[in-house]
Amino acid sequence: MGIVVVEVCDGNAITTINIEEIIEEEFPEVAVLMNECLSFCGLCRVKPYALVNNKRIFGNTPEECLDKIRTAIKEELAVYQ
């Protein structure tokens, strides 16, 4: 099975939900990395986002972003099935 890495800037609005626990519980094969900064200056203040295997995933709310992250993870995992 392949691995999917989700990277989150800890200054991002998506951290208002416990994304690390939620994703790792739903997808045991996924690693969530909390970073101090992902070097997309100012982006974390504009919209909630994360990187899924280096692809930027955005949402207007943390919940919408989480749903899009789930979709992206499923697409990445499908490659390895």
Side-chain angles (χ1 to χ4, degrees):
M1 171 119 334
I3 187 163
V4 177
V5 177
V6 177
E7 296 178 83
V8 178
C9 174
D10 63 9
N12 189 329
I14 199 164
T15 60
T16 59
I17 58 176
N18 192 343
I19 186 165
E20 186 172 14
E21 184 179 313
I22 293 168
I23 293 297
E24 289 182 348
E25 189 173 300
E26 286 182 40
F27 304 97
E29 60 273 71
V30 174
V32 178
L33 305 176
M34 302 300 290
N35 292 298
E36 190 172 305
C37 183
L38 294 174
S39 299
F40 293 106
C41 293
L43 186 59
C44 58
R45 283 187 225 118
V46 177
K47 287 187 173 201
Y49 84 100
L51 299 177
V52 177
N53 281 0
N54 292 318
K55 296 176 191 164
R56 284 181 272 180
I57 308 297
F58 298 91
N60 290 319
T61 65
E63 293 78 13
E64 179 186 349
C65 189
L66 178 59
D67 288 340
K68 290 181 176 183
I69 290 167
R70 286 180 175 123
T71 300
I73 289 170
K74 290 174 186 173
E75 290 171 1
E76 290 290 323
L77 291 175
V79 172
Y80 298 103
Q81 301 209 16

